[in-house]
Amino acid sequence: AQSVTQPDIHITVSEGASLELRCNYSYGATPYLFWYVQSPGQGLQLLLKYFSGDTLVQGIKGFEAEFKRSQSSFNLRKPSVHWSDAAEYFCAVGATYNTDKLIFGTGTRLQVFP
Amino acid sequence: SQTIHQWPATLVQPVGSPLSLECTVEGTSNPNLYWYRQAAGRGLQLLFYSVGIGQISSEVPQNLSASRPQDRQFILSSKKLLLSDSGFYLCAWGTSNEQYFGPGTRLTVT
């Protein structure tokens, strides 16, 4: 069965520092992979997605993610974090055979110190 | 452009009372529609999804139900709320392998 693991529940970084949020998935075929961001009390916004092709994908707000099949990972990165990036981040996987559904990780809460 | 609305934004209901949460989508036709629940520290749980009017699939057995009376309207209901129904309820619409979320409804069952 598909699953998504976000091993870091809470991460704290200083403003201007680099960021990497980890995501590992379990799926037998090539998955569709997504990162979403959720500000407090708000819905989720799509940051970026990977379907196929170039394994390094660029998203909104300066984020990027790299798909590594050998490690079953899809880590989210940003070279310099801004205070407004403080939020909760969710990784999700969709099955290529049933693209109607997404399986979400439990999320990583990012705190940014000035 | 597409827009998704949810209401109410917040709701406090006593145990045993009924529930009706509404979600509507604008700017698209025949979308896939989803209801998720987000409990504190537990990520998103898919509750229901619909690929068309009157077509509802349930992912998790519970005392909630969903209906899709119109193409762009998705309703989440309960006849009698439980304390465990508290949470943040998110509606989403999807097409071409992507899902877009509404602003959510915070439900507190007391």
Side-chain angles (χ1 to χ4, degrees), chain B residues 5-6 10 24 35 39 42 53 55 60 65 67 75 77 79-80 91 101:
Chain B
H5 303 279
Q6 286 187 246
T10 58
T24 58
W35 277 112
R42 296 187 62 184
I53 295 174
Q55 301 178 62
V60 182
S65 62
S67 61
I75 297 172
S77 304
K79 293 181 179 178
K80 290 185 178 181
C91 180
F101 287 79

Side-chain angles (χ1 to χ4, degrees), chain A residues 77-93:
Chain A
R77 302 194 293 248
K78 187 168 184 178
S80 178
V81 172
H82 188 264
W83 64 266
S84 60
D85 293 324
E88 187 141 22
Y89 292 80
F90 292 93
C91 182
V93 61

Side-chain angles (χ1 to χ4, degrees), chain B:
Chain B
S1 63
Q2 300 84 7
T3 308
I4 181 167
H5 303 279
Q6 286 187 246
W7 63 88
T10 58
L11 190 60
V12 180
Q13 293 283 94
V15 168
S17 64
L19 172 73
S20 181
L21 303 181
E22 188 165 344
C23 170
T24 58
V25 181
E26 297 176 357
T28 186
S29 296
N30 196 31
N32 294 333
L33 295 173
Y34 309 84
W35 277 112
Y36 290 87
R37 178 168 59 203
Q38 187 177 23
R42 296 187 62 184
L44 280 79
Q45 181 185 38
L46 179 63
L47 301 176
F48 301 95
Y49 74 96
S50 171
V51 298
I53 295 174
Q55 301 178 62
I56 309 294
S57 296
S58 174
E59 291 294 300
V60 182
Q62 60 219 322
N63 69 322
L64 299 172
S65 62
S67 61
R68 186 171 178 173
Q70 301 180 42
D71 181 44
R72 289 170 288 179
Q73 184 184 31
F74 205 23
I75 297 172
L76 183 69
S77 304
S78 174
K79 293 181 179 178
K80 290 185 178 181
L81 283 168
L82 306 173
L83 284 174
S84 58
D85 292 323
S86 292
F88 193 51
Y89 288 82
L90 288 158
C91 180
W93 73 273
T95 185
S96 301
N97 310 320
E98 297 181 14
Q99 291 186 22
Y100 299 92
F101 287 79
T105 295
R106 172 75 58 191
L107 172 65
T108 303
V109 182
T110 60

